[in-house]
Amino acid sequence: MLEVPTVPSPSVTPQPPAEAVAPLMRGLDVLRRLTDAESGDGTLALADLARTTGLARSTVDRICATLAHLGFVRLDGRDASLAPPLMTVANACLDALRVPGVLGPLADELADELDESVSLAVPDGDGIRFVHQVLRRRALSISFRVGDALPGGGCAPGLVFRDDLPLAVDDQLVERGLVAVAVPVRGPSGDVVCAVSVVSHTSRHAAGELAGAVRGALEKSVRSMESALAATSYASGLRPGPRGLSSKSGADIGLAPIVSLARGLTVLTAFDGAHPTLTLTEIAEATGLARATARRALITYEHLGYVTHEDRAFRLTPRVLTLGCAPLSRTTLPRIAAPHLAALSKRLGESVGLSVPDGDRVRCTARVTPRRVMSVDIGVGSRLPAKDTAAGRLLQGGGESAVADGPEAGLRSVAVPVRDRAGRVVSALDVTAHQGRGDDDAWTEALRDTAALIAADLHVTSRFVSVPVH
Ligand code: PHB
């Protein structure tokens, strides 16, 4: 992967209005710093968070404890990491924007037809922000993530928006060797709602020639996209009662949560595809917050550029995607599962892992094994005959659980399925240990609890992006 020059999230300098909620501003700052962390994986040491935000370490600890209480951040020793449930915030924004949900499948088709990467971007401030990415893996591939931003003048979609062009070409503006062609997609009112880009490499297409090569397919795709937007109903759906954020973490964090931060964050998840704009009254109703509380949160969000309003209708801006989206969206099932496997291994004191089918074998994609004198030794990547393992039997035979004596003499394994959003089994979760050390029923129950946690994280993450299962 090449180093890609993304735009850092803007740091806000103007004086906040008197009614802005300071703890909410600090919490959002922490989430943004984790999103922008150098590692790209949404993890920073608490000490580094204190340094970069300029906040006292005790303040950072309390903010992170609150975010952990909401399930948005995971605390692991000295580090804080973004956690999958935070994707509910990005999902609210992506859903309310409508573009990824309505046009994403058409962008996927275009990528298949052209066998090139395709992305959808929306304007965000002076630049653009990606809301959908279909990557074609190549030896040389640039890979922006959903939520990443580029400057307006520095990429093809940016030129489309800035100069109101019917077609713009990026001839290695972003990166040497990278070429892209972008065209606008218009909503029913004629406004440009997003730009669709076809992205390639100079080894495949010169910039001038790329436009000619993809133009026909691109124009046809844009027509389908515009019809899809016109056919999308903008009627508000019924809302099933208040949908505030629930506390997701059972961990005892020892610090009292900051109520104003937790409450303020619920405002973002009041929006969705059926409610892309909301009035203050509707937000108060949807979140269960007092009007005055919701109003102050909105003032805070508007000041920071996360929300705009026209008359009485408030709307999220794509900047909401700076709250965790890019690092959380570029992940895999084994990475999502890792903390859950560690907790399960600790709970059972045994080796636990994930596997996927691989011909008549199963391939281990993740494994956590406790240290002990005699321990099960199945490495990530190892392939075992499916019939000798519980995971293999489950993946081949279906069902809600499977057991096997194996994969070696003296071992026993129990497995349960992990399902994707559509209910398909995508992986098997197993415990494998020396025979006679555990109880199948107790193991099955523990595996099911963990499979449910892994699936919940997978489902929230994969709502608008695809998550590889290995
Ligand atoms: C992309 O990665 O999707 C991309 C990059 C540069 C552009 C357009 C799209 O100019």
Side-chain angles (χ1 to χ4, degrees), residues 151-210:
C155 61
L159 295 171
V160 164
F161 299 133
R162 195 192 66 180
D163 301 337
D164 197 16
L165 298 175
L167 183 142
V169 176
D170 167 357
D171 185 1
Q172 311 180 70
L173 286 172
V174 169
E175 179 75 40
R176 202 170 155 168
L178 174 97
V179 287
V181 172
V183 296
V185 181
R186 292 178 191 277
S189 62
D191 297 346
V192 175
V193 295
C194 72
V196 51
S197 305
V198 177
V199 190
S200 191
H201 192 265
T202 45
S203 61
R204 287 168 61 83
H205 289 286
E209 180 241 315
L210 177 65

Side-chain angles (χ1 to χ4, degrees), residues 66-260:
T66 304
L67 295 170
H69 183 72
L70 295 168
F72 288 174
V73 155
R74 186 169 286 121
L75 293 172
D76 185 8
R78 285 183 232 161
D79 292 341
S81 309
L82 299 174
L86 179 60
M87 274 299 274
T88 45
V89 169
N91 287 344
C93 177
L94 292 166
D95 196 16
L97 281 171
R98 291 167 182 276
V99 166
V102 179
L103 306 186
L106 296 165
D108 297 352
E109 282 176 21
L110 179 63
D112 283 343
E113 186 180 338
L114 296 172
D115 193 27
E116 298 284 1
S117 297
V118 169
S119 62
L120 299 173
V122 296
D124 184 15
D126 295 336
I128 64 108
R129 199 170 291 281
F130 292 109
V131 296
H132 188 80
Q133 279 284 356
V134 204
L135 296 182
R136 284 288 167 275
R137 294 242 165 259
R138 306 227 194 275
L140 256 174
S141 69
I142 197 155
S143 45
F144 289 106
R145 304 162 298 180
V146 170
D148 279 333
L150 285 175
C155 61
L159 295 171
V160 164
F161 299 133
R162 195 192 66 180
D163 301 337
D164 197 16
L165 298 175
L167 183 142
V169 176
D170 167 357
D171 185 1
Q172 311 180 70
L173 286 172
V174 169
E175 179 75 40
R176 202 170 155 168
L178 174 97
V179 287
V181 172
V183 296
V185 181
R186 292 178 191 277
S189 62
D191 297 346
V192 175
V193 295
C194 72
V196 51
S197 305
V198 177
V199 190
S200 191
H201 192 265
T202 45
S203 61
R204 287 168 61 83
H205 289 286
E209 180 241 315
L210 177 65
V214 303
R215 194 170 204 145
L218 193 51
E219 279 171 1
K220 194 174 103 238
S221 179
V222 167
R223 280 196 296 276
S224 310
M225 289 182 179
E226 291 180 345
S227 312
L229 286 174
T232 305
S233 149
Y234 279 71
S236 282
L238 287 177
R239 187 189 288 283
R243 301 170 314 139
L245 297 168
S246 55
S247 155
K248 305 230 172 50
S249 160
D252 180 9
I253 46 174
L255 291 170
I258 305 166
V259 175
S260 54

Side-chain angles (χ1 to χ4, degrees), residues 6 29 53 65 74 136 147 169 171 230 259 284 295 329 366 395 397 415 434 447:
T6 56
D29 194 23
T53 55
R74 186 169 286 121
R136 284 288 167 275
V169 176
D171 185 1
V259 175
R295 188 174 152 271
S329 70
L395 291 168
H434 290 275
L447 287 168

Side-chain angles (χ1 to χ4, degrees), residues 339-362:
H340 300 299
L341 295 182
L344 179 63
S345 174
K346 202 164 162 201
R347 171 172 165 190
L348 299 179
E350 302 292 357
S351 173
V352 301
L354 284 179
S355 340
V356 293
D358 190 352
D360 59 358
R361 294 182 165 247
V362 283

Side-chain angles (χ1 to χ4, degrees), residues 1-52:
M1 202 165 72
L2 299 166
E3 283 288 314
V4 290
T6 56
V7 184
S9 314
S11 46
V12 178
T13 31
Q15 199 62 23
E19 284 164 298
V21 185
L24 178 57
M25 291 182 57
R26 293 188 202 112
L28 293 166
D29 194 23
V30 163
L31 288 174
R32 259 194 20 207
R33 305 278 176 175
L34 288 169
T35 304
D36 291 344
E38 197 89 51
S39 59
D41 67 357
T43 300
L44 277 176
L46 291 161
D48 290 337
L49 263 176
R51 194 166 45 238
T52 55

